[in-house]
Amino acid sequence: MDKISNINFTGISNIGFAHFRRQPGAKGAVSKSISMVLRDDTRGQDFSEFKAALRKVTKSPHEYYFDTDDPNILNVECYSDRSENLLMLNGNVLNVDNKTMPLFTYIAKLTRRIANMPEKDMVINKDYVTYEAQRNLIYGDQIKLDGTSYKQQLEFFSKFFEKDSAKYGAEQVNDFIQKIMNKFFEV
């Protein structure tokens, strides 16, 4: 019985999407952020694939982790202002060059998968939304809701984790990566 309870059937879980302005930021700057928890399970080896892509890019993969205590949290931010478009992975700007292509490829593949994922396969944990989302949804910022109840926090953060919103966010990130790649390859 113990072996059955150790199996994780959630795959990519707790997918959230936020559209916001980073402060301070350039005039007209906007960011879109998609966050999720990656796991290896019967549906795929998403966390192992992430680590493999990191090993192709850096000798210090832990520098790209969201947090060394939470290496399976992935936060991808698309930042745009009048002069540039930047893709950030867990707070690290990914410069567009041949060395970083494995990460761009991994993120593009992952976001396409999320955009096409059946809603029944999208797992959202209410405790994660209430207690973890406030520090994981936007890298480097904690969304504080002081003096609110569990129910109020769940209601507030749940809108970022709606399945349609997560799928839309994945499409937005994928389109953003496509535009960056088109510019890089001069297409």
Side-chain angles (χ1 to χ4, degrees), residues 40-77:
D40 291 340
D41 67 8
T42 57
R43 294 186 188 154
Q45 302 297 305
D46 297 297
F47 186 51
S48 291
E49 288 177 23
F50 173 57
K51 291 188 297 186
L54 284 176
R55 284 191 298 273
K56 292 176 184 176
V57 172
T58 181
K59 292 181 182 184
S60 303
H62 63 280
E63 293 175 1
Y64 286 85
Y65 289 161
F66 186 86
D67 183 322
T68 53
D69 293 333
D70 291 319
N72 59 333
I73 294 173
L74 182 69
N75 183 284
V76 179
E77 182 176 336

mmCIF file of all heavy atoms in Angstrom, residues 40-77:
data_model
loop_
_atom_site.group_PDB
_atom_site.id
_atom_site.type_symbol
_atom_site.label_atom_id
_atom_site.label_comp_id
_atom_site.label_asym_id
_atom_site.label_seq_id
_atom_site.Cartn_x
_atom_site.Cartn_y
_atom_site.Cartn_z
ATOM 1 N N ASP A 40 7.949 14.766 -11.879
ATOM 2 C CA ASP A 40 8.109 13.586 -12.727
ATOM 3 C C ASP A 40 7.028 12.608 -12.299
ATOM 4 O O ASP A 40 6.856 12.345 -11.110
ATOM 5 C CB ASP A 40 9.485 12.947 -12.522
ATOM 6 C CG ASP A 40 10.611 13.818 -13.058
ATOM 7 O OD1 ASP A 40 10.346 14.696 -13.888
ATOM 8 O OD2 ASP A 40 11.761 13.604 -12.645
ATOM 9 N N ASP A 41 6.265 12.107 -13.254
ATOM 10 C CA ASP A 41 5.194 11.184 -12.922
ATOM 11 C C ASP A 41 4.867 10.313 -14.127
ATOM 12 O O ASP A 41 5.615 10.272 -15.095
ATOM 13 C CB ASP A 41 3.958 11.935 -12.421
ATOM 14 C CG ASP A 41 3.288 12.785 -13.490
ATOM 15 O OD1 ASP A 41 3.681 12.697 -14.675
ATOM 16 O OD2 ASP A 41 2.366 13.530 -13.159
ATOM 17 N N THR A 42 3.734 9.662 -14.070
ATOM 18 C CA THR A 42 3.339 8.746 -15.136
ATOM 19 C C THR A 42 3.032 9.473 -16.448
ATOM 20 O O THR A 42 3.053 8.857 -17.497
ATOM 21 C CB THR A 42 2.091 7.932 -14.718
ATOM 22 O OG1 THR A 42 1.043 8.843 -14.389
ATOM 23 C CG2 THR A 42 2.403 7.040 -13.535
ATOM 24 N N ARG A 43 2.749 10.771 -16.385
ATOM 25 C CA ARG A 43 2.429 11.530 -17.595
ATOM 26 C C ARG A 43 3.651 12.161 -18.253
ATOM 27 O O ARG A 43 3.558 12.661 -19.356
ATOM 28 C CB ARG A 43 1.432 12.630 -17.272
ATOM 29 C CG ARG A 43 0.096 12.075 -16.869
ATOM 30 C CD ARG A 43 -0.903 13.178 -16.699
ATOM 31 N NE ARG A 43 -2.116 12.583 -16.132
ATOM 32 C CZ ARG A 43 -2.975 13.249 -15.421
ATOM 33 N NH1 ARG A 43 -2.794 14.511 -15.189
ATOM 34 N NH2 ARG A 43 -4.036 12.651 -14.938
ATOM 35 N N GLY A 44 4.763 12.189 -17.558
ATOM 36 C CA GLY A 44 5.950 12.796 -18.143
ATOM 37 C C GLY A 44 7.019 13.078 -17.114
ATOM 38 O O GLY A 44 6.794 12.983 -15.910
ATOM 39 N N GLN A 45 8.168 13.419 -17.607
ATOM 40 C CA GLN A 45 9.318 13.707 -16.760
ATOM 41 C C GLN A 45 9.631 15.202 -16.837
ATOM 42 O O GLN A 45 10.751 15.610 -17.153
ATOM 43 C CB GLN A 45 10.520 12.872 -17.218
ATOM 44 C CG GLN A 45 10.276 11.370 -17.198
ATOM 45 C CD GLN A 45 10.013 10.871 -15.795
ATOM 46 O OE1 GLN A 45 10.808 11.092 -14.900
ATOM 47 N NE2 GLN A 45 8.888 10.211 -15.593
ATOM 48 N N ASP A 46 8.653 16.029 -16.525
ATOM 49 C CA ASP A 46 8.791 17.475 -16.714
ATOM 50 C C ASP A 46 9.923 18.076 -15.891
ATOM 51 O O ASP A 46 10.677 18.907 -16.390
ATOM 52 C CB ASP A 46 7.469 18.172 -16.389
ATOM 53 C CG ASP A 46 6.378 17.721 -17.329
ATOM 54 O OD1 ASP A 46 6.523 17.967 -18.537
ATOM 55 O OD2 ASP A 46 5.416 17.094 -16.871
ATOM 56 N N PHE A 47 10.061 17.678 -14.645
ATOM 57 C CA PHE A 47 11.123 18.238 -13.814
ATOM 58 C C PHE A 47 12.495 17.741 -14.282
ATOM 59 O O PHE A 47 13.444 18.522 -14.374
ATOM 60 C CB PHE A 47 10.886 17.904 -12.339
ATOM 61 C CG PHE A 47 11.860 18.567 -11.409
ATOM 62 C CD1 PHE A 47 12.087 19.935 -11.482
ATOM 63 C CD2 PHE A 47 12.548 17.836 -10.464
ATOM 64 C CE1 PHE A 47 12.992 20.557 -10.621
ATOM 65 C CE2 PHE A 47 13.448 18.446 -9.607
ATOM 66 C CZ PHE A 47 13.666 19.808 -9.685
ATOM 67 N N SER A 48 12.602 16.479 -14.633
ATOM 68 C CA SER A 48 13.873 15.943 -15.146
ATOM 69 C C SER A 48 14.250 16.601 -16.469
ATOM 70 O O SER A 48 15.426 16.902 -16.706
ATOM 71 C CB SER A 48 13.793 14.423 -15.333
ATOM 72 O OG SER A 48 13.722 13.790 -14.079
ATOM 73 N N GLU A 49 13.259 16.853 -17.330
ATOM 74 C CA GLU A 49 13.537 17.529 -18.597
ATOM 75 C C GLU A 49 14.011 18.964 -18.361
ATOM 76 O O GLU A 49 14.894 19.461 -19.060
ATOM 77 C CB GLU A 49 12.295 17.525 -19.497
ATOM 78 C CG GLU A 49 11.979 16.158 -20.075
ATOM 79 C CD GLU A 49 10.703 16.155 -20.903
ATOM 80 O OE1 GLU A 49 10.293 17.233 -21.401
ATOM 81 O OE2 GLU A 49 10.109 15.082 -21.045
ATOM 82 N N PHE A 50 13.431 19.627 -17.373
ATOM 83 C CA PHE A 50 13.857 20.978 -17.009
ATOM 84 C C PHE A 50 15.317 20.954 -16.553
ATOM 85 O O PHE A 50 16.141 21.755 -17.011
ATOM 86 C CB PHE A 50 12.942 21.540 -15.919
ATOM 87 C CG PHE A 50 13.381 22.851 -15.341
ATOM 88 C CD1 PHE A 50 13.585 23.958 -16.153
ATOM 89 C CD2 PHE A 50 13.571 22.990 -13.974
ATOM 90 C CE1 PHE A 50 13.972 25.182 -15.608
ATOM 91 C CE2 PHE A 50 13.958 24.203 -13.429
ATOM 92 C CZ PHE A 50 14.161 25.298 -14.244
ATOM 93 N N LYS A 51 15.638 20.021 -15.670
ATOM 94 C CA LYS A 51 17.025 19.926 -15.185
ATOM 95 C C LYS A 51 17.982 19.580 -16.319
ATOM 96 O O LYS A 51 19.096 20.109 -16.369
ATOM 97 C CB LYS A 51 17.123 18.899 -14.052
ATOM 98 C CG LYS A 51 16.421 19.340 -12.776
ATOM 99 C CD LYS A 51 16.683 18.434 -11.606
ATOM 100 C CE LYS A 51 16.162 17.043 -11.820
ATOM 101 N NZ LYS A 51 16.287 16.175 -10.646
ATOM 102 N N ALA A 52 17.563 18.721 -17.244
ATOM 103 C CA ALA A 52 18.417 18.361 -18.388
ATOM 104 C C ALA A 52 18.670 19.582 -19.271
ATOM 105 O O ALA A 52 19.798 19.801 -19.734
ATOM 106 C CB ALA A 52 17.781 17.234 -19.194
ATOM 107 N N ALA A 53 17.644 20.396 -19.505
ATOM 108 C CA ALA A 53 17.819 21.619 -20.303
ATOM 109 C C ALA A 53 18.771 22.577 -19.590
ATOM 110 O O ALA A 53 19.641 23.186 -20.218
ATOM 111 C CB ALA A 53 16.474 22.288 -20.555
ATOM 112 N N LEU A 54 18.645 22.683 -18.280
ATOM 113 C CA LEU A 54 19.549 23.547 -17.512
ATOM 114 C C LEU A 54 20.996 23.081 -17.621
ATOM 115 O O LEU A 54 21.910 23.898 -17.764
ATOM 116 C CB LEU A 54 19.143 23.584 -16.038
ATOM 117 C CG LEU A 54 17.941 24.433 -15.674
ATOM 118 C CD1 LEU A 54 17.614 24.283 -14.194
ATOM 119 C CD2 LEU A 54 18.167 25.892 -16.027
ATOM 120 N N ARG A 55 21.208 21.769 -17.551
ATOM 121 C CA ARG A 55 22.580 21.231 -17.637
ATOM 122 C C ARG A 55 23.230 21.532 -18.985
ATOM 123 O O ARG A 55 24.443 21.636 -19.078
ATOM 124 C CB ARG A 55 22.589 19.728 -17.354
ATOM 125 C CG ARG A 55 22.443 19.389 -15.869
ATOM 126 C CD ARG A 55 22.726 17.932 -15.574
ATOM 127 N NE ARG A 55 21.826 17.013 -16.238
ATOM 128 C CZ ARG A 55 20.653 16.613 -15.774
ATOM 129 N NH1 ARG A 55 20.222 17.059 -14.611
ATOM 130 N NH2 ARG A 55 19.902 15.771 -16.450
ATOM 131 N N LYS A 56 22.418 21.689 -20.015
ATOM 132 C CA LYS A 56 22.963 22.036 -21.334
ATOM 133 C C LYS A 56 23.386 23.505 -21.398
ATOM 134 O O LYS A 56 24.183 23.879 -22.242
ATOM 135 C CB LYS A 56 21.919 21.776 -22.429
ATOM 136 C CG LYS A 56 21.617 20.315 -22.633
ATOM 137 C CD LYS A 56 20.507 20.146 -23.659
ATOM 138 C CE LYS A 56 20.125 18.681 -23.806
ATOM 139 N NZ LYS A 56 18.984 18.516 -24.728
ATOM 140 N N VAL A 57 22.848 24.314 -20.498
ATOM 141 C CA VAL A 57 23.063 25.760 -20.539
ATOM 142 C C VAL A 57 24.086 26.240 -19.506
ATOM 143 O O VAL A 57 24.812 27.191 -19.737
ATOM 144 C CB VAL A 57 21.706 26.487 -20.336
ATOM 145 C CG1 VAL A 57 21.867 27.968 -20.177
ATOM 146 C CG2 VAL A 57 20.767 26.157 -21.478
ATOM 147 N N THR A 58 24.141 25.590 -18.358
ATOM 148 C CA THR A 58 24.978 26.083 -17.273
ATOM 149 C C THR A 58 25.583 24.937 -16.467
ATOM 150 O O THR A 58 25.018 23.850 -16.402
ATOM 151 C CB THR A 58 24.169 26.998 -16.328
ATOM 152 O OG1 THR A 58 25.023 27.484 -15.293
ATOM 153 C CG2 THR A 58 22.984 26.284 -15.720
ATOM 154 N N LYS A 59 26.705 25.235 -15.843
ATOM 155 C CA LYS A 59 27.326 24.269 -14.932
ATOM 156 C C LYS A 59 26.781 24.433 -13.514
ATOM 157 O O LYS A 59 27.119 23.655 -12.636
ATOM 158 C CB LYS A 59 28.843 24.450 -14.941
ATOM 159 C CG LYS A 59 29.453 24.059 -16.263
ATOM 160 C CD LYS A 59 30.941 24.220 -16.263
ATOM 161 C CE LYS A 59 31.419 23.850 -17.671
ATOM 162 N NZ LYS A 59 32.826 23.853 -17.820
ATOM 163 N N SER A 60 25.967 25.448 -13.311
ATOM 164 C CA SER A 60 25.357 25.715 -12.006
ATOM 165 C C SER A 60 23.838 25.799 -12.136
ATOM 166 O O SER A 60 23.257 26.874 -11.990
ATOM 167 C CB SER A 60 25.898 27.026 -11.436
ATOM 168 O OG SER A 60 27.297 27.008 -11.336
ATOM 169 N N PRO A 61 23.186 24.669 -12.408
ATOM 170 C CA PRO A 61 21.727 24.712 -12.627
ATOM 171 C C PRO A 61 20.949 25.282 -11.450
ATOM 172 O O PRO A 61 19.899 25.888 -11.638
ATOM 173 C CB PRO A 61 21.340 23.265 -12.884
ATOM 174 C CG PRO A 61 22.569 22.468 -12.891
ATOM 175 C CD PRO A 61 23.722 23.333 -12.531
ATOM 176 N N HIS A 62 21.465 25.098 -10.235
ATOM 177 C CA HIS A 62 20.739 25.583 -9.058
ATOM 178 C C HIS A 62 20.546 27.110 -9.101
ATOM 179 O O HIS A 62 19.637 27.635 -8.476
ATOM 180 C CB HIS A 62 21.465 25.173 -7.776
ATOM 181 C CG HIS A 62 22.831 25.756 -7.637
ATOM 182 N ND1 HIS A 62 23.927 25.224 -8.279
ATOM 183 C CD2 HIS A 62 23.269 26.849 -6.965
ATOM 184 C CE1 HIS A 62 24.997 25.956 -7.994
ATOM 185 N NE2 HIS A 62 24.620 26.949 -7.216
ATOM 186 N N GLU A 63 21.366 27.825 -9.852
ATOM 187 C CA GLU A 63 21.200 29.271 -9.981
ATOM 188 C C GLU A 63 19.915 29.629 -10.731
ATOM 189 O O GLU A 63 19.432 30.749 -10.628
ATOM 190 C CB GLU A 63 22.409 29.887 -10.681
ATOM 191 C CG GLU A 63 23.677 29.802 -9.851
ATOM 192 C CD GLU A 63 24.908 30.312 -10.584
ATOM 193 O OE1 GLU A 63 24.783 30.766 -11.744
ATOM 194 O OE2 GLU A 63 25.988 30.246 -9.992
ATOM 195 N N TYR A 64 19.377 28.705 -11.489
ATOM 196 C CA TYR A 64 18.152 28.931 -12.236
ATOM 197 C C TYR A 64 16.917 28.393 -11.525
ATOM 198 O O TYR A 64 15.812 28.491 -12.049
ATOM 199 C CB TYR A 64 18.240 28.309 -13.639
ATOM 200 C CG TYR A 64 19.129 29.082 -14.586
ATOM 201 C CD1 TYR A 64 20.500 28.864 -14.598
ATOM 202 C CD2 TYR A 64 18.596 30.019 -15.455
ATOM 203 C CE1 TYR A 64 21.322 29.572 -15.464
ATOM 204 C CE2 TYR A 64 19.398 30.731 -16.325
ATOM 205 C CZ TYR A 64 20.766 30.500 -16.323
ATOM 206 O OH TYR A 64 21.568 31.200 -17.169
ATOM 207 N N TYR A 65 17.118 27.792 -10.354
ATOM 208 C CA TYR A 65 15.964 27.307 -9.600
ATOM 209 C C TYR A 65 15.224 28.494 -8.988
ATOM 210 O O TYR A 65 15.822 29.517 -8.636
ATOM 211 C CB TYR A 65 16.392 26.363 -8.487
ATOM 212 C CG TYR A 65 16.881 25.014 -8.948
ATOM 213 C CD1 TYR A 65 17.660 24.228 -8.112
ATOM 214 C CD2 TYR A 65 16.576 24.517 -10.203
ATOM 215 C CE1 TYR A 65 18.103 22.973 -8.521
ATOM 216 C CE2 TYR A 65 17.014 23.267 -10.611
ATOM 217 C CZ TYR A 65 17.776 22.514 -9.763
ATOM 218 O OH TYR A 65 18.215 21.275 -10.161
ATOM 219 N N PHE A 66 13.943 28.343 -8.817
ATOM 220 C CA PHE A 66 13.140 29.375 -8.168
ATOM 221 C C PHE A 66 13.697 29.635 -6.777
ATOM 222 O O PHE A 66 13.860 30.759 -6.351
ATOM 223 C CB PHE A 66 11.676 28.912 -8.084
ATOM 224 C CG PHE A 66 10.746 29.962 -7.563
ATOM 225 C CD1 PHE A 66 10.198 30.890 -8.431
ATOM 226 C CD2 PHE A 66 10.428 30.023 -6.225
ATOM 227 C CE1 PHE A 66 9.341 31.873 -7.956
ATOM 228 C CE2 PHE A 66 9.575 30.997 -5.748
ATOM 229 C CZ PHE A 66 9.027 31.929 -6.609
ATOM 230 N N ASP A 67 13.999 28.549 -6.111
ATOM 231 C CA ASP A 67 14.547 28.582 -4.757
ATOM 232 C C ASP A 67 15.199 27.222 -4.554
ATOM 233 O O ASP A 67 14.665 26.215 -5.013
ATOM 234 C CB ASP A 67 13.378 28.788 -3.784
ATOM 235 C CG ASP A 67 13.789 28.919 -2.333
ATOM 236 O OD1 ASP A 67 14.721 28.220 -1.901
ATOM 237 O OD2 ASP A 67 13.160 29.724 -1.625
ATOM 238 N N THR A 68 16.330 27.173 -3.872
ATOM 239 C CA THR A 68 16.980 25.871 -3.683
ATOM 240 C C THR A 68 16.105 24.919 -2.881
ATOM 241 O O THR A 68 16.225 23.711 -3.025
ATOM 242 C CB THR A 68 18.361 26.025 -3.005
ATOM 243 O OG1 THR A 68 18.209 26.789 -1.797
ATOM 244 C CG2 THR A 68 19.345 26.718 -3.929
ATOM 245 N N ASP A 69 15.211 25.460 -2.062
ATOM 246 C CA ASP A 69 14.278 24.607 -1.320
ATOM 247 C C ASP A 69 13.090 24.175 -2.181
ATOM 248 O O ASP A 69 12.396 23.227 -1.850
ATOM 249 C CB ASP A 69 13.759 25.332 -0.070
ATOM 250 C CG ASP A 69 14.846 25.562 0.961
ATOM 251 O OD1 ASP A 69 15.823 24.780 0.987
ATOM 252 O OD2 ASP A 69 14.725 26.545 1.725
ATOM 253 N N ASP A 70 12.826 24.906 -3.249
ATOM 254 C CA ASP A 70 11.713 24.607 -4.161
ATOM 255 C C ASP A 70 12.206 24.569 -5.597
ATOM 256 O O ASP A 70 11.787 25.377 -6.437
ATOM 257 C CB ASP A 70 10.612 25.666 -4.027
ATOM 258 C CG ASP A 70 9.877 25.613 -2.718
ATOM 259 O OD1 ASP A 70 9.590 24.488 -2.265
ATOM 260 O OD2 ASP A 70 9.573 26.681 -2.158
ATOM 261 N N PRO A 71 13.072 23.623 -5.942
ATOM 262 C CA PRO A 71 13.624 23.603 -7.298
ATOM 263 C C PRO A 71 12.601 23.241 -8.369
ATOM 264 O O PRO A 71 12.819 23.513 -9.537
ATOM 265 C CB PRO A 71 14.721 22.542 -7.216
ATOM 266 C CG PRO A 71 14.284 21.637 -6.110
ATOM 267 C CD PRO A 71 13.578 22.530 -5.123
ATOM 268 N N ASN A 72 11.473 22.663 -7.972
ATOM 269 C CA ASN A 72 10.484 22.233 -8.968
ATOM 270 C C ASN A 72 9.455 23.312 -9.298
ATOM 271 O O ASN A 72 8.548 23.079 -10.075
ATOM 272 C CB ASN A 72 9.795 20.943 -8.527
ATOM 273 C CG ASN A 72 9.080 21.085 -7.214
ATOM 274 O OD1 ASN A 72 9.438 21.895 -6.373
ATOM 275 N ND2 ASN A 72 8.073 20.274 -7.006
ATOM 276 N N ILE A 73 9.607 24.507 -8.748
ATOM 277 C CA ILE A 73 8.731 25.617 -9.119
ATOM 278 C C ILE A 73 9.351 26.321 -10.309
ATOM 279 O O ILE A 73 10.539 26.643 -10.312
ATOM 280 C CB ILE A 73 8.532 26.596 -7.947
ATOM 281 C CG1 ILE A 73 7.767 25.892 -6.825
ATOM 282 C CG2 ILE A 73 7.788 27.848 -8.407
ATOM 283 C CD1 ILE A 73 7.643 26.688 -5.562
ATOM 284 N N LEU A 74 8.549 26.538 -11.323
ATOM 285 C CA LEU A 74 9.017 27.207 -12.527
ATOM 286 C C LEU A 74 8.200 28.473 -12.723
ATOM 287 O O LEU A 74 6.970 28.433 -12.702
ATOM 288 C CB LEU A 74 8.859 26.297 -13.745
ATOM 289 C CG LEU A 74 9.347 26.858 -15.065
ATOM 290 C CD1 LEU A 74 10.870 26.970 -15.066
ATOM 291 C CD2 LEU A 74 8.919 25.957 -16.204
ATOM 292 N N ASN A 75 8.889 29.595 -12.863
ATOM 293 C CA ASN A 75 8.249 30.866 -13.104
ATOM 294 C C ASN A 75 8.869 31.466 -14.354
ATOM 295 O O ASN A 75 10.069 31.688 -14.402
ATOM 296 C CB ASN A 75 8.438 31.799 -11.900
ATOM 297 C CG ASN A 75 7.710 33.107 -12.086
ATOM 298 O OD1 ASN A 75 8.151 33.963 -12.833
ATOM 299 N ND2 ASN A 75 6.601 33.247 -11.390
ATOM 300 N N VAL A 76 8.056 31.696 -15.376
ATOM 301 C CA VAL A 76 8.507 32.271 -16.636
ATOM 302 C C VAL A 76 7.827 33.624 -16.787
ATOM 303 O O VAL A 76 6.596 33.710 -16.764
ATOM 304 C CB VAL A 76 8.157 31.365 -17.832
ATOM 305 C CG1 VAL A 76 8.611 32.009 -19.136
ATOM 306 C CG2 VAL A 76 8.763 29.983 -17.660
ATOM 307 N N GLU A 77 8.643 34.668 -16.933
ATOM 308 C CA GLU A 77 8.110 36.015 -17.081
ATOM 309 C C GLU A 77 8.504 36.590 -18.428
ATOM 310 O O GLU A 77 9.659 36.519 -18.832
ATOM 311 C CB GLU A 77 8.636 36.923 -15.968
ATOM 312 C CG GLU A 77 8.081 38.320 -16.028
ATOM 313 C CD GLU A 77 8.526 39.208 -14.867
ATOM 314 O OE1 GLU A 77 8.878 38.674 -13.794
ATOM 315 O OE2 GLU A 77 8.514 40.437 -15.044
#
